Coordinates of all heavy atoms in Angstrom, one line a residue:
L235 N 98.0 96.6 96.7 CA 97.6 97.6 95.7 C 97.5 97.0 94.4 O 98.3 96.1 94.0 CB 98.8 98.7 95.6 CG 98.9 99.7 96.7 CD1 100.2 100.5 96.5 CD2 97.7 100.5 96.8
R236 N 96.6 97.5 93.6 CA 96.5 97.1 92.2 C 97.6 97.9 91.5 O 98.0 99.0 91.9 CB 95.1 97.5 91.7 CG 94.0 96.6 92.3 CD 92.6 97.1 91.9 NE 91.6 96.2 92.3 CZ 91.1 96.3 93.6 NH1 91.6 97.1 94.5 NH2 90.2 95.4 94.0
I237 N 98.0 97.4 90.3 CA 99.0 98.0 89.5 C 98.7 99.5 89.2 O 99.5 100.4 89.4 CB 99.3 97.2 88.3 CG1 99.9 95.8 88.6 CG2 100.3 98.0 87.4 CD1 101.2 95.8 89.3
S238 N 97.5 99.7 88.7 CA 97.0 101.0 88.4 C 97.1 102.0 89.6 O 97.4 103.1 89.4 CB 95.6 101.0 87.7 OG 94.7 100.5 88.7
E239 N 96.7 101.5 90.8 CA 96.8 102.3 92.0 C 98.2 102.6 92.3 O 98.5 103.7 92.7 CB 96.1 101.5 93.1 CG 94.6 101.4 92.9 CD 94.0 100.4 93.9 OE1 94.7 99.6 94.6 OE2 92.7 100.4 94.0
A240 N 99.1 101.6 92.2 CA 100.5 101.9 92.5 C 101.1 102.9 91.6 O 101.9 103.7 92.0 CB 101.3 100.6 92.5
L241 N 100.7 102.9 90.3 CA 101.3 103.8 89.4 C 100.8 105.2 89.6 O 101.5 106.2 89.3 CB 101.0 103.4 87.9 CG 101.6 102.1 87.5 CD1 101.1 101.7 86.1 CD2 103.1 102.1 87.5
K242 N 99.7 105.4 90.2 CA 99.1 106.7 90.5 C 99.5 107.2 91.9 O 99.3 108.4 92.2 CB 97.6 106.7 90.5 CG 97.0 106.5 89.1 CD 95.5 106.7 89.0 CE 94.8 105.8 89.9 NZ 93.3 105.9 89.8
L243 N 100.1 106.4 92.7 CA 100.5 106.7 94.1 C 101.4 107.9 94.2 O 102.4 108.0 93.4 CB 101.2 105.5 94.7 CG 101.2 105.4 96.2 CD1 99.8 105.3 96.8 CD2 102.0 104.1 96.6
T244 N 101.2 108.8 95.1 CA 102.1 110.0 95.3 C 102.8 109.8 96.6 O 102.4 109.0 97.5 CB 101.3 111.3 95.3 OG1 100.5 111.4 96.4 CG2 100.5 111.5 94.0
L245 N 103.8 110.6 96.8 CA 104.6 110.6 98.0 C 103.6 111.0 99.2 O 103.7 110.4 100.3 CB 105.7 111.6 98.0 CG 106.9 111.2 97.1 CD1 107.8 112.4 96.9 CD2 107.6 110.0 97.6
A246 N 102.7 111.9 99.0 CA 101.8 112.3 100.0 C 100.8 111.2 100.4 O 100.3 111.2 101.5 CB 101.0 113.5 99.6
D247 N 100.6 110.2 99.5 CA 99.7 109.1 99.8 C 100.3 108.1 100.8 O 99.5 107.3 101.4 CB 99.3 108.4 98.5 CG 98.5 109.3 97.6 OD1 97.8 110.2 98.1 OD2 98.5 109.0 96.4
V248 N 101.6 108.1 100.9 CA 102.3 107.1 101.8 C 102.6 107.8 103.1 O 103.5 108.7 103.2 CB 103.5 106.6 101.1 CG1 104.2 105.6 102.0 CG2 103.2 105.9 99.8
D249 N 101.9 107.5 104.2 CA 102.1 108.1 105.5 C 102.8 107.1 106.4 O 102.1 106.3 107.1 CB 100.7 108.5 106.0 CG 100.7 109.2 107.3 OD1 101.8 109.3 107.9 OD2 99.6 109.7 107.8
L250 N 104.1 107.2 106.5 CA 104.9 106.3 107.4 C 104.6 106.6 108.8 O 104.7 105.7 109.7 CB 106.3 106.4 107.0 CG 106.7 105.9 105.6 CD1 108.2 106.1 105.3 CD2 106.4 104.4 105.5
T251 N 104.3 107.9 109.2 CA 104.1 108.2 110.6 C 102.9 107.5 111.1 O 102.9 106.9 112.2 CB 103.9 109.7 110.7 OG1 105.0 110.4 110.2 CG2 103.7 110.1 112.2
N252 N 101.8 107.4 110.4 CA 100.6 106.8 110.8 C 100.5 105.3 110.3 O 99.6 104.6 110.6 CB 99.4 107.5 110.4 CG 99.3 108.9 111.1 OD1 99.4 108.9 112.3 ND2 99.1 109.9 110.4
G253 N 101.5 104.9 109.4 CA 101.6 103.6 109.0 C 100.5 103.2 108.0 O 99.9 102.1 108.1
V254 N 100.1 104.1 107.1 CA 99.1 103.8 106.1 C 99.4 104.3 104.7 O 100.2 105.2 104.6 CB 97.7 104.4 106.5 CG1 97.2 103.7 107.8 CG2 97.8 105.9 106.6
I255 N 98.8 103.6 103.7 CA 98.9 104.1 102.3 C 97.5 104.5 102.0 O 96.5 103.7 102.2 CB 99.4 103.0 101.4 CG1 100.8 102.6 101.7 CG2 99.3 103.4 99.9 CD1 101.4 101.4 101.0
K256 N 97.3 105.7 101.5 CA 95.9 106.1 101.1 C 95.8 106.0 99.6 O 96.5 106.5 98.8 CB 95.8 107.6 101.5 CG 95.9 107.9 102.9 CD 95.9 109.4 103.2 CE 96.9 109.6 104.3 NZ 97.4 111.0 104.3
V257 N 94.8 105.1 99.2 CA 94.5 104.9 97.8 C 93.3 105.9 97.5 O 92.3 105.8 98.1 CB 94.1 103.5 97.5 CG1 93.7 103.3 96.1 CG2 95.2 102.5 97.9
I258 N 93.6 106.8 96.6 CA 92.6 107.7 96.1 C 92.1 107.3 94.8 O 92.8 107.1 93.9 CB 93.2 109.2 96.0 CG1 94.0 109.5 97.3 CG2 92.2 110.2 95.7 CD1 93.2 109.6 98.6
D259 N 90.8 107.3 94.7 CA 90.1 106.9 93.4 C 90.5 105.6 92.9 O 90.9 105.4 91.8 CB 90.4 108.1 92.4 CG 89.3 108.2 91.4 OD1 88.2 107.8 91.6 OD2 89.6 108.9 90.4
G260 N 90.5 104.6 93.8 CA 90.8 103.2 93.4 C 89.7 102.5 92.6 O 88.9 103.2 92.0
K261 N 89.7 101.2 92.6 CA 88.7 100.4 91.9 C 87.3 100.9 92.3 O 87.0 101.0 93.5 CB 88.9 98.9 92.1 CG 88.0 98.1 91.3 CD 88.3 96.6 91.5 CE 87.3 95.8 90.6 NZ 87.5 94.4 90.8
G262 N 86.5 101.1 91.3 CA 85.1 101.5 91.6 C 85.1 103.0 92.0 O 84.1 103.4 92.6
K263 N 86.2 103.7 91.8 CA 86.3 105.1 92.1 C 86.2 105.3 93.7 O 85.8 106.4 94.1 CB 85.2 106.0 91.4 CG 85.3 105.9 89.9 CD 86.5 106.6 89.4 CE 86.5 106.6 87.9 NZ 87.7 107.0 87.3
K264 N 86.6 104.3 94.4 CA 86.5 104.4 95.9 C 87.9 104.6 96.5 O 88.9 104.1 96.0 CB 86.0 103.1 96.4 CG 84.5 102.8 96.0 CD 84.0 101.5 96.6 CE 82.6 101.2 96.2 NZ 82.1 99.9 96.7
D265 N 87.9 105.4 97.6 CA 89.1 105.6 98.3 C 89.2 104.6 99.4 O 88.2 104.1 99.9 CB 89.1 107.0 99.0 CG 89.0 108.2 98.0 OD1 89.2 107.9 96.8 OD2 88.8 109.3 98.4
R266 N 90.4 104.2 99.8 CA 90.6 103.3 100.9 C 92.0 103.5 101.5 O 92.8 104.1 100.9 CB 90.4 101.8 100.5 CG 91.4 101.2 99.6 CD 91.0 99.8 99.2 NE 92.1 99.0 98.7 CZ 92.5 99.1 97.4 NH1 91.9 99.9 96.6 NH2 93.5 98.4 97.0
T267 N 92.1 102.9 102.7 CA 93.4 103.1 103.4 C 93.9 101.7 103.6 O 93.2 100.8 104.1 CB 93.2 103.8 104.8 OG1 92.6 105.0 104.5 CG2 94.5 104.0 105.5
I268 N 95.2 101.5 103.3 CA 95.9 100.2 103.5 C 96.9 100.3 104.6 O 97.8 101.2 104.5 CB 96.6 99.8 102.2 CG1 95.5 99.7 101.1 CG2 97.3 98.5 102.3 CD1 96.1 99.5 99.7
P269 N 96.9 99.5 105.6 CA 97.9 99.5 106.7 C 99.3 99.1 106.2 O 99.4 98.2 105.3 CB 97.4 98.6 107.7 CG 96.5 97.6 107.0 CD 95.9 98.4 105.8
I270 N 100.3 99.7 106.7 CA 101.7 99.3 106.4 C 102.3 98.5 107.6 O 102.3 99.0 108.7 CB 102.6 100.6 106.2 CG1 102.0 101.4 105.0 CG2 104.0 100.2 105.9 CD1 102.7 102.7 104.8
N271 N 102.6 97.3 107.3 CA 103.3 96.5 108.4 C 104.7 96.9 108.6 O 105.3 97.6 107.7 CB 103.1 95.0 108.3 CG 103.9 94.4 107.2 OD1 104.9 94.9 106.8 ND2 103.4 93.3 106.6
Q272 N 105.4 96.5 109.6 CA 106.8 96.9 109.9 C 107.7 96.5 108.8 O 108.6 97.2 108.5 CB 107.2 96.3 111.3 CG 108.5 96.9 111.7 CD 108.5 98.4 111.9 OE1 107.5 99.0 112.3 NE2 109.6 99.0 111.6
N273 N 107.6 95.3 108.2 CA 108.5 94.8 107.2 C 108.3 95.7 105.9 O 109.4 96.1 105.3 CB 108.2 93.4 106.8 CG 108.6 92.4 107.9 OD1 109.5 92.7 108.7 ND2 107.9 91.3 107.9
L274 N 107.1 96.1 105.6 CA 106.9 96.9 104.4 C 107.4 98.3 104.7 O 108.0 99.0 103.9 CB 105.4 97.0 104.1 CG 105.1 97.9 102.9 CD1 105.9 97.5 101.6 CD2 103.6 97.9 102.6
K275 N 107.3 98.8 105.9 CA 107.8 100.1 106.3 C 109.3 100.2 106.1 O 109.8 101.2 105.6 CB 107.4 100.5 107.8 CG 107.8 101.8 108.2 CD 107.3 102.1 109.6 CE 107.7 103.5 110.0 NZ 107.2 103.9 111.3
I276 N 110.0 99.2 106.5 CA 111.4 99.1 106.3 C 111.8 99.2 104.8 O 112.7 99.9 104.4 CB 112.0 97.9 107.0 CG1 111.9 98.0 108.5 CG2 113.5 97.7 106.6 CD1 112.2 96.7 109.3
Q277 N 111.1 98.4 104.0 CA 111.3 98.4 102.6 C 111.0 99.8 101.9 O 111.8 100.3 101.1 CB 110.5 97.3 101.9 CG 110.8 95.9 102.3 CD 112.2 95.6 101.9 OE1 112.7 95.9 100.8 NE2 112.9 94.9 102.8
I278 N 109.9 100.4 102.4 CA 109.6 101.8 101.8 C 110.7 102.8 102.2 O 111.1 103.6 101.4 CB 108.2 102.2 102.4 CG1 107.1 101.4 101.7 CG2 108.0 103.7 102.1 CD1 105.7 101.6 102.3
Q279 N 111.1 102.7 103.5 CA 112.1 103.7 103.9 C 113.4 103.5 103.1 O 114.1 104.4 102.7 CB 112.4 103.5 105.4 CG 111.3 104.0 106.3 CD 111.4 103.6 107.7 OE1 111.9 102.5 108.1 NE2 110.9 104.5 108.6
N280 N 113.8 102.2 102.9 CA 115.0 101.9 102.1 C 114.8 102.4 100.6 O 115.7 103.0 100.1 CB 115.3 100.4 102.0 CG 116.5 100.1 101.2 OD1 117.6 100.6 101.5 ND2 116.3 99.3 100.2
Y281 N 113.6 102.2 100.0 CA 113.4 102.7 98.7 C 113.5 104.2 98.6 O 114.2 104.7 97.7 CB 112.0 102.3 98.2 CG 111.5 102.9 97.0 CD1 112.1 102.5 95.7 CD2 110.6 103.9 97.0 CE1 111.7 103.1 94.5 CE2 110.2 104.5 95.8 CZ 110.7 104.1 94.6 OH 110.3 104.7 93.4
L282 N 112.9 104.9 99.6 CA 112.9 106.4 99.5 C 114.3 106.9 99.8 O 114.8 107.9 99.1 CB 112.0 106.9 100.6 CG 110.5 106.7 100.3 CD1 109.6 107.1 101.5 CD2 110.0 107.4 99.0
A283 N 115.1 106.3 100.7 CA 116.4 106.7 101.0 C 117.5 106.4 100.0 O 118.4 107.1 99.7 CB 116.8 106.2 102.4
N284 N 117.4 105.2 99.3 CA 118.5 104.7 98.5 C 118.2 104.4 97.1 O 119.1 104.3 96.3 CB 119.0 103.4 99.2 CG 119.4 103.6 100.6 OD1 120.2 104.5 100.9 ND2 119.0 102.8 101.5
E285 N 116.9 104.2 96.7 CA 116.6 103.7 95.4 C 115.8 104.7 94.5 O 116.0 104.8 93.3 CB 115.9 102.4 95.4 CG 116.7 101.3 96.1 CD 116.0 100.0 96.2 OE1 115.1 99.7 95.3 OE2 116.2 99.3 97.2
R286 N 114.9 105.5 95.1 CA 114.0 106.4 94.4 C 114.9 107.5 93.9 O 115.5 108.2 94.6 CB 112.9 106.9 95.3 CG 111.9 107.7 94.5 CD 110.8 108.3 95.4 NE 109.9 109.0 94.6 CZ 110.0 110.3 94.3 NH1 111.1 111.0 94.7 NH2 109.1 111.0 93.5
P287 N 114.8 107.8 92.5 CA 115.6 108.9 92.0 C 115.0 110.2 92.4 O 113.8 110.3 92.7 CB 115.5 108.6 90.5 CG 114.3 107.9 90.3 CD 114.1 107.0 91.5
E288 N 115.8 111.2 92.3 CA 115.3 112.6 92.6 C 114.3 112.9 91.4 O 114.5 112.7 90.3 CB 116.4 113.6 92.5 CG 117.3 113.5 93.7 CD 116.6 114.0 95.0 OE1 115.8 114.9 95.0 OE2 116.9 113.3 96.0
S289 N 113.1 113.4 91.8 CA 112.1 113.7 90.8 C 111.2 114.8 91.4 O 110.9 114.8 92.6 CB 111.2 112.4 90.6 OG 110.1 112.8 89.8
T290 N 110.7 115.6 90.5 CA 109.8 116.7 90.9 C 108.4 116.4 90.7 O 107.5 117.2 91.0 CB 110.2 118.0 90.2 OG1 110.1 117.8 88.8 CG2 111.6 118.5 90.5
S291 N 108.1 115.2 90.2 CA 106.8 114.8 89.8 C 105.9 114.5 91.1 O 104.7 114.7 91.0 CB 106.8 113.5 89.0 OG 107.1 112.4 89.8
G292 N 106.4 114.1 92.2 CA 105.6 113.8 93.3 C 105.1 112.4 93.3 O 104.5 112.0 94.3
K293 N 105.3 111.7 92.3 CA 104.9 110.3 92.2 C 105.8 109.5 93.1 O 107.0 109.7 93.3 CB 105.0 109.7 90.8 CG 104.1 110.3 89.8 CD 102.7 109.8 89.9 CE 101.8 110.3 88.8 NZ 100.5 109.9 88.9
F294 N 105.2 108.5 93.8 CA 105.9 107.6 94.7 C 106.9 106.8 93.9 O 108.1 106.7 94.3 CB 105.0 106.7 95.5 CG 105.7 105.9 96.6 CD1 106.1 106.5 97.8 CD2 106.0 104.6 96.3 CE1 106.8 105.8 98.7 CE2 106.7 103.9 97.3 CZ 107.1 104.5 98.5
F295 N 106.4 106.1 92.9 CA 107.3 105.3 92.1 C 107.7 106.1 90.9 O 106.9 106.5 90.1 CB 106.6 104.0 91.6 CG 106.3 103.1 92.7 CD1 105.0 102.9 93.2 CD2 107.3 102.4 93.4 CE1 104.7 102.0 94.2 CE2 107.1 101.5 94.4 CZ 105.8 101.3 94.9
A296 N 109.0 106.5 90.8 CA 109.4 107.4 89.8 C 110.7 106.9 89.1 O 111.5 106.1 89.6 CB 109.8 108.8 90.5
R297 N 110.8 107.4 87.9 CA 112.1 107.3 87.1 C 112.6 108.7 86.9 O 111.9 109.6 86.8 CB 111.8 106.6 85.8 CG 111.4 105.2 85.9 CD 111.1 104.6 84.5 NE 112.4 104.5 83.8 CZ 112.5 104.3 82.5 NH1 111.4 104.2 81.8 NH2 113.7 104.2 82.0
K298 N 113.9 108.8 86.9 CA 114.6 110.1 86.8 C 114.2 110.7 85.4 O 113.9 111.9 85.3 CB 116.1 109.9 86.9 CG 116.8 111.3 86.9 CD 118.3 111.1 87.2 CE 118.9 112.4 87.4 NZ 120.3 112.3 87.8
S299 N 114.1 109.9 84.4 CA 113.9 110.4 83.0 C 112.4 110.9 82.8 O 112.2 111.9 82.1 CB 114.2 109.4 82.0 OG 113.4 108.2 82.2
T300 N 111.5 110.3 83.4 CA 110.1 110.6 83.2 C 109.3 111.1 84.4 O 108.2 111.7 84.2 CB 109.3 109.4 82.6 OG1 109.3 108.4 83.6 CG2 109.9 108.9 81.4
G301 N 109.8 110.9 85.6 CA 109.1 111.3 86.8 C 108.0 110.4 87.2 O 107.4 110.6 88.2
G302 N 107.8 109.3 86.5 CA 106.8 108.3 86.9 C 107.1 107.0 86.2 O 108.1 106.9 85.5
L303 N 106.2 106.1 86.4 CA 106.3 104.8 85.7 C 105.1 104.6 84.8 O 104.0 104.9 85.2 CB 106.3 103.6 86.7 CG 107.5 103.6 87.7 CD1 107.4 102.4 88.6 CD2 108.8 103.6 87.0
S304 N 105.4 104.1 83.6 CA 104.3 103.8 82.7 C 103.8 102.3 82.9 O 104.6 101.5 83.5 CB 104.7 104.0 81.3 OG 105.6 103.0 80.9
S305 N 102.6 102.0 82.5 CA 102.2 100.6 82.6 C 103.0 99.7 81.7 O 103.3 98.5 82.1 CB 100.7 100.5 82.2 OG 100.5 101.0 80.9
N306 N 103.6 100.2 80.6 CA 104.4 99.4 79.7 C 105.7 99.1 80.5 O 106.2 97.9 80.4 CB 104.7 100.2 78.4 CG 105.4 99.3 77.4 OD1 105.2 98.1 77.3 ND2 106.3 100.0 76.7
F307 N 106.3 100.1 81.1 CA 107.6 99.9 81.9 C 107.3 98.8 83.0 O 108.1 97.9 83.2 CB 108.1 101.2 82.5 CG 109.3 101.0 83.4 CD1 110.5 101.0 82.8 CD2 109.1 100.9 84.7 CE1 111.6 100.8 83.6 CE2 110.2 100.7 85.6 CZ 111.5 100.7 85.0
N308 N 106.2 99.0 83.6 CA 105.9 98.0 84.7 C 105.7 96.6 84.2 O 106.2 95.7 84.8 CB 104.6 98.5 85.4 CG 104.2 97.6 86.6 OD1 105.0 97.6 87.5 ND2 103.1 96.9 86.4
S309 N 105.0 96.4 83.1 CA 104.8 95.1 82.5 C 106.2 94.5 82.1 O 106.4 93.3 82.4 CB 104.0 95.2 81.2 OG 102.7 95.6 81.6
K310 N 107.1 95.3 81.5 CA 108.4 94.7 81.2 C 109.2 94.3 82.4 O 109.9 93.3 82.4 CB 109.2 95.8 80.4 CG 108.7 95.9 79.0 CD 109.5 97.0 78.2 CE 108.9 97.2 76.8 NZ 109.7 98.2 76.1
T311 N 109.1 95.1 83.5 CA 109.8 94.8 84.7 C 109.3 93.6 85.4 O 110.1 92.7 85.8 CB 109.7 96.0 85.7 OG1 110.2 97.2 85.0 CG2 110.5 95.8 87.0
L312 N 108.0 93.4 85.4 CA 107.4 92.2 86.0 C 107.7 91.0 85.1 O 108.0 89.9 85.7 CB 105.9 92.4 86.1 CG 105.4 93.3 87.2 CD1 103.9 93.5 87.2 CD2 105.9 92.9 88.6
A313 N 107.7 91.1 83.8 CA 108.0 90.0 82.9 C 109.5 89.5 83.2 O 109.8 88.3 83.2 CB 107.8 90.3 81.5
K314 N 110.4 90.5 83.3 CA 111.8 90.2 83.6 C 111.9 89.5 84.9 O 112.6 88.5 85.0 CB 112.7 91.4 83.5 CG 114.1 91.1 83.7 CD 115.0 92.3 83.7 CE 116.4 92.1 83.9 NZ 116.8 91.1 84.9
A315 N 111.3 90.0 86.0 CA 111.3 89.3 87.3 C 110.8 87.9 87.2 O 111.4 87.0 87.8 CB 110.6 90.2 88.3
K316 N 109.7 87.7 86.5 CA 109.1 86.4 86.4 C 110.1 85.5 85.7 O 110.3 84.3 86.1 CB 107.8 86.5 85.6 CG 107.1 85.2 85.4 CD 105.8 85.4 84.5 CE 105.2 84.1 84.1 NZ 104.1 84.3 83.3
A317 N 110.7 85.9 84.6 CA 111.7 85.1 83.9 C 112.9 84.8 84.8 O 113.4 83.7 84.9 CB 112.2 85.8 82.7
D318 N 113.4 85.8 85.6 CA 114.6 85.6 86.5 C 114.3 84.6 87.6 O 115.1 83.9 88.0 CB 115.0 87.0 87.1 CG 115.6 87.9 86.1 OD1 115.9 87.5 85.0 OD2 115.7 89.1 86.5
L319 N 113.0 84.5 88.0 CA 112.6 83.6 89.0 C 112.2 82.2 88.5 O 111.8 81.3 89.2 CB 111.4 84.2 89.8 CG 111.8 85.4 90.7 CD1 110.5 86.1 91.2 CD2 112.7 85.0 91.8
N320 N 112.2 82.1 87.1 CA 111.8 80.9 86.4 C 110.3 80.5 86.8 O 110.0 79.3 86.9 CB 112.7 79.7 86.8 CG 114.1 79.9 86.2 OD1 114.2 80.4 85.1 ND2 115.1 79.6 87.0
W321 N 109.5 81.5 86.9 CA 108.0 81.3 87.1 C 107.4 81.0 85.8 O 107.7 81.6 84.8 CB 107.4 82.5 87.8 CG 107.7 82.7 89.2 CD1 108.5 81.9 90.0 CD2 107.2 83.7 90.0 NE1 108.5 82.4 91.3 CE2 107.7 83.6 91.3 CE3 106.3 84.8 89.8 CZ2 107.4 84.4 92.4 CZ3 106.1 85.6 90.9 CH2 106.6 85.4 92.1
T322 N 106.5 80.0 85.8 CA 105.9 79.6 84.5 C 104.4 80.1 84.4 O 103.8 80.0 83.4 CB 105.8 78.1 84.4 OG1 105.2 77.5 85.5 CG2 107.3 77.5 84.3
R323 N 103.9 80.6 85.5 CA 102.5 81.2 85.5 C 102.5 82.7 85.6 O 103.3 83.3 86.1 CB 101.7 80.6 86.6 CG 101.4 79.2 86.3 CD 100.5 78.6 87.3 NE 100.1 77.3 86.9 CZ 98.9 76.8 87.2 NH1 98.1 77.4 87.9 NH2 98.7 75.6 86.8

């Protein structure tokens, strides 16, 4: 997923029963379906059960305070992860 697609992702777009993520209005305004492998399915189930805060927004990636994630929040989180991993690129 592209970052912008992930930020727009809703709970309804992630279909664990059929093992797909539906990207609506992605790059070039095109829809596409991305398969979910077993390892990712386990991570998604863990996120939904243990990490995702209660939110009424319907966004897949949510914060309790805002109901979603902003691109600024995402950039800061990725920068911190990069620094924690000592990545230079």
Side-chain angles (χ1 to χ4, degrees):
L235 285 175
R236 292 171 175 83
I237 296 296
S238 61
E239 294 168 346
L241 294 177
K242 293 190 297 185
L243 201 63
T244 68
L245 290 168
D247 296 333
V248 179
D249 182 353
L250 293 176
T251 302
N252 293 311
V254 295
I255 297 172
K256 297 173 221 154
V257 177
I258 309 299
D259 210 16
K261 185 176 180 180
K263 302 290 183 191
K264 295 180 182 177
D265 297 348
R266 68 180 197 282
T267 303
I268 300 169
I270 300 172
N271 71 25
Q272 190 59 36
N273 291 333
L274 179 57
K275 184 176 181 177
I276 292 167
Q277 295 299 317
I278 290 172
Q279 290 170 326
N280 180 58
Y281 170 73
L282 293 172
N284 302 312
E285 298 177 34
R286 185 180 181 277
E288 289 293 324
S289 172
T290 58
S291 74
K293 294 283 186 181
F294 184 80
F295 295 107
R297 292 181 67 198
K298 188 173 186 174
S299 59
T300 63
L303 298 181
S304 68
S305 57
N306 188 37
F307 176 84
N308 184 64
S309 294
K310 288 180 183 179
T311 302
L312 289 175
K314 182 181 180 319
K316 181 180 169 183
D318 290 347
L319 293 168
N320 292 319
W321 286 1
T322 57
R323 290 184 172 210

